[in-house]
Amino acid sequence: LRFITTGLPFVTAKFAMSLDGKIATRSGNSQWITGHEARRYAQVLRATSDAIMVGINTVIVDDPLLTARDERGRHLHRQPLRVVVDSNGSLSDSAKLLSQPGQTLVAVTDAGMSKSMNLANKDVEVKSIPGTDGLVDLVGLMRTLGSERDVTSLFVEGGGTLLGSLFDLSLVDKVVAFVAPVVIGGREAISPVEGKGIETMSEMLRLQRVDVLRLGSDIAI
């Protein structure tokens, strides 16, 4: 319905966190918070999406594949489009996701475009979608995905900066939060949603039609 009325894809925000709301330790280590069953369910969500999106910090820290795989770790025939939000053109040409099956779109600003020339020999599209704040225009990126790539469902896997911005812009339609029975602690440990956030509790975003799924020792909300 959202795609039909606005041309913007339906956005699902996914994150995995500890009981104390952390997605990584203070050193940035994040693999793995959840167990196998939760990660397998995340693969199902990937496989049923038109595109997967992450921010550049997630790529730098985790170096993910961003592919849809079966229970044995084999790539599925149909791969969702990989989208990397990389305002400053920091994506390395040695990133693992660039050597995986399927297509990759890297969204940059005009300033980041020249720094992305190292990706010229890769099977990747680099597109400048500048905003007024020196960062990628996320609304413009959504329109591009909808109008040029026919993306109706977008699965966003972080990190906190990107998810925070999407929430600030009211671009998130659905949340899938995996919670593991672990405690990480640390004042400097990373939280799943950053951005500007809200000032008063009356502004908080309350989810509707909430389901809870048990996945091994983890839960998905």
Side-chain angles (χ1 to χ4, degrees):
L1 179 61
R2 176 164 183 161
F3 183 77
I4 294 172
T5 57
T6 68
L8 302 180
F10 184 93
V11 177
T12 298
K14 170 258 179 181
F15 50 85
M17 63 183 182
S18 62
L19 283 177
D20 54 334
K22 307 297 184 180
I23 61 172
T25 67
R26 64 175 185 269
S27 66
N29 182 255
S30 62
Q31 297 180 344
W32 296 101
I33 291 177
T34 54
H36 173 76
E37 290 186 42
R39 297 199 299 274
R40 176 65 200 133
Y41 183 61
Q43 284 291 336
V44 173
L45 296 175
R46 281 186 181 184
T48 55
S49 301
D50 292 331
I52 308 168
M53 178 186 286
V54 295
I56 184 59
N57 289 337
T58 295
V59 178
I60 292 174
V61 173
D62 295 339
D63 199 16
L65 302 180
L66 295 187
T67 53
R69 302 183 294 277
D70 64 17
E71 294 183 358
R72 297 184 179 181
R74 298 173 299 190
H75 288 111
L76 301 181
H77 177 70
R78 174 192 174 277
Q79 288 294 322
L81 172 69
R82 292 181 291 272
V83 183
V84 180
V85 181
D86 182 19
S87 296
N88 297 318
S90 303
L91 181 63
S92 169
D93 59 4
S94 63
K96 291 179 181 178
L97 64 88
L98 297 177
S99 60
Q100 303 305 308
Q103 298 179 319
T104 302
L105 171 67
V106 181
V108 300
T109 60
D110 291 341
M113 195 72 179
S114 59
K115 298 178 183 179
S116 301
M117 297 305 294
N118 61 324
L119 304 178
N121 295 326
K122 300 290 183 176
D123 185 19
V124 55
E125 178 185 359
V126 181
K127 192 172 187 65
S128 179
I129 311 176
T132 57
D133 55 359
L135 302 175
V136 169
D137 177 4
L138 292 176
V139 176
L141 175 56
M142 296 296 172
R143 292 196 180 104
T144 296
L145 292 174
S147 63
E148 297 182 12
R149 291 285 193 154
D150 294 326
V151 171
T152 62
S153 57
L154 177 64
F155 190 50
V156 185
E157 298 199 49
T161 300
L162 176 59
L163 287 176
S165 297
L166 291 173
F167 277 107
D168 287 342
L169 294 168
S170 299
L171 290 173
V172 177
D173 299 288
K174 181 178 180 179
V175 172
V176 180
F178 295 90
V179 184
V182 298
V183 175
I184 292 175
R187 184 180 296 109
E188 298 178 1
I190 305 170
S191 298
V193 179
E194 297 176 5
K196 294 180 181 179
I198 60 175
E199 293 186 8
T200 65
M201 294 301 287
S202 63
E203 300 174 272
M204 63 184 176
L205 304 176
R206 185 175 296 278
L207 303 184
Q208 305 295 323
R209 299 185 298 280
V210 178
D211 293 318
V212 179
L213 179 65
R214 183 72 180 264
L215 299 163
S217 60
D218 309 314
I219 62 172
I221 301 173

